[in-house]
Amino acid sequence: MFNLKELLKKTDFTNEEIIFLLGLKDPEQCKLLQEEAYRRTTALMGNKVYYRGLIECSNICTSNCRYCGIRKDNHQVRRYEMTKQEIIDQAVWAARNGYASICLQAGERRDEKFISFIEECLREIHKQTVSDVLPDGVGVTLSLGEQTKEVYERWAVASGNRSNLRYLARFETSNADLFSMLHSAKGKYEKILDHRLECLKYLKECGYQVGTGVMIGIPGQTLKDLCMDIRMFQQVDADMIGMGPYLMSEEADLESLGQMENKALFQLSLNMIAVTRLVMGNINIAAATALQVLHPEGREIAIEYGCNVIMPNLSPTKFREGYQLYDHKPGLNDDPFHFGLHLEERIQSRGREVGWNESGSSRKWLMKQEKQEQLPC
Ligand code: SF4
């Protein structure tokens, strides 16, 4: 139907071509896709893999996404909140140990107490991480759900470092029916796809590097849906993509739907990463921890398929049990102080190096900034 070798030379793809690439199963063909995605990643983004030190600040969530293990209605989870000092300590440790960027993640809350708590943490993190090595302080990625534009702006100001500021808000699927199936818990915090996309627009207007992403292998999802997800990445002009396999959680509301068989789900996830790289070019793509559930070296293999960002978990181990969005989450006992170094050895074994003390902004975002600076006043 398509000549794969010829197809992989292209930079502009039709939907039919994308669907063909996503559906590859033959090991030889998957290898060709992997090699081209790897070649383009290193050609466009360089040889480095960038760390974002993940701090899971709290598992309290006001939302009820049906696939999620920490949804509000799961009363089996012991809820926790890290204190301001605990969050700052982890951020400062990260900055002093070569992580130029951290990620603050938590369940979704929109109350003023939470909003100002994050603001205070950001201000203090900035103050305490400015150094000769990081003159603008540690970079921050926020992953705190749907908020108003005013809140995004407040947090951007508090970060004190807009040149290294990111937000991750995955839209999970561009198929409105699937989105509704995943999020159909009604109530005050009901999720609506259009609102999620509006949030991405607000984030862009506030100057964040915008990260989004989807779940791969959602029950009922087709290759065409995944192709449309990639088209949505283009439409929202994403700077970063973080996506992973759809994994079941026994404490969620969708257990009866099951999930794809592990091997097929793993290959489909890798194909999605590779094709996203081919279509989107010089953006950042994160290797999701969830891939590690499907294969012991899932994240490292994802680097071979086009990822260039990894998010080592720096949350204190005592909290990790409580932050399981899906079952069998790996790394619950990984020592945050040594994990990044062990991971570095595994990254190096794949011919790549870690960008210690480098913010690792996507080339796409940097080029957009340069263009803006060149515009006449
Ligand atoms: S996916 Fe996020 S917003 Fe939804 S229930 Fe889980 S933590 Fe809350």
Side-chain angles (χ1 to χ4, degrees), residues 83-295:
T83 64
K84 187 161 67 170
Q85 196 54 51
E86 284 170 331
I87 294 169
I88 292 165
D89 286 349
Q90 294 307 107
V92 170
W93 181 88
R96 288 185 185 154
N97 285 274
Y99 291 72
S101 192
I102 55 161
C103 175
L104 301 186
Q105 190 171 71
E108 188 173 85
R109 282 177 57 184
R110 298 184 206 156
D111 54 287
E112 178 54 36
K113 187 171 165 222
F114 177 73
I115 293 164
S116 48
F117 173 79
I118 295 294
E119 238 178 341
E120 286 164 28
C121 289
L122 289 170
R123 270 196 217 103
E124 203 53 38
I125 287 169
H126 178 62
K127 204 162 105 194
Q128 294 195 30
T129 58
V130 171
S131 67
D132 291 344
V133 181
L134 298 174
D136 296 318
V138 75
V140 175
T141 303
L142 298 175
S143 178
L144 303 170
E146 296 179 17
Q147 306 287 344
T148 62
K149 187 174 175 187
E150 288 69 31
V151 171
Y152 291 142
E153 179 59 23
R154 276 172 67 180
W155 288 342
V157 171
S159 78
N161 185 5
R162 283 191 194 245
S163 63
N164 200 353
L165 177 66
R166 307 175 178 87
Y167 204 103
L168 177 61
R170 302 193 334 185
F171 58 80
E172 306 299 3
T173 171
S174 58
N175 178 324
D177 292 335
L178 283 183
F179 186 93
S180 171
M181 186 268 286
L182 292 173
H183 300 97
S184 57
K186 303 282 179 218
K188 193 173 165 200
Y189 291 100
E190 184 184 352
K191 302 285 180 204
I192 295 162
L193 179 57
D194 282 350
H195 185 246
R196 185 73 56 92
L197 298 175
E198 196 173 39
C199 286
L200 294 175
K201 190 167 120 309
Y202 294 156
L203 288 162
K204 215 153 248 295
E205 288 166 3
C206 292
Y208 288 81
Q209 297 179 42
V210 171
T212 190
V214 293
M215 285 192 289
I216 301 152
I218 300 167
Q221 188 182 47
T222 63
L223 293 180
K224 186 172 171 222
D225 290 325
L226 291 171
C227 169
M228 290 300 116
D229 291 346
I230 295 175
R231 293 300 186 210
M232 188 71 89
F233 298 157
Q234 289 180 301
Q235 272 173 41
V236 301
D237 192 24
D239 303 300
M240 195 273 276
I241 299 295
M243 55 191 168
Y246 170 88
L247 297 172
M248 222 170 55
S249 166
E250 283 180 14
E251 307 297 346
D253 193 23
L254 293 175
E255 198 192 343
S256 60
L257 298 182
Q259 72 177 55
M260 265 177 85
E261 181 273 321
N262 279 6
K263 202 165 165 227
L265 180 55
F266 188 54
Q267 188 60 55
L268 180 61
S269 303
L270 296 172
N271 290 0
M272 183 69 176
I273 290 166
V275 179
T276 299
R277 172 63 71 202
L278 299 189
V279 175
M280 296 294 290
N282 55 358
I283 59 163
N284 282 339
I285 304 181
T289 309
L291 290 165
Q292 218 82 351
V293 176
L294 301 176
H295 190 291

Side-chain angles (χ1 to χ4, degrees), residues 61 63-65 67-68 70-71 107-108 191 325:
C61 186
S63 287
N64 248 326
C65 306
Y67 53 88
C68 180
I70 65 167
R71 61 204 294 270
E108 188 173 85
K191 302 285 180 204
L325 308 188

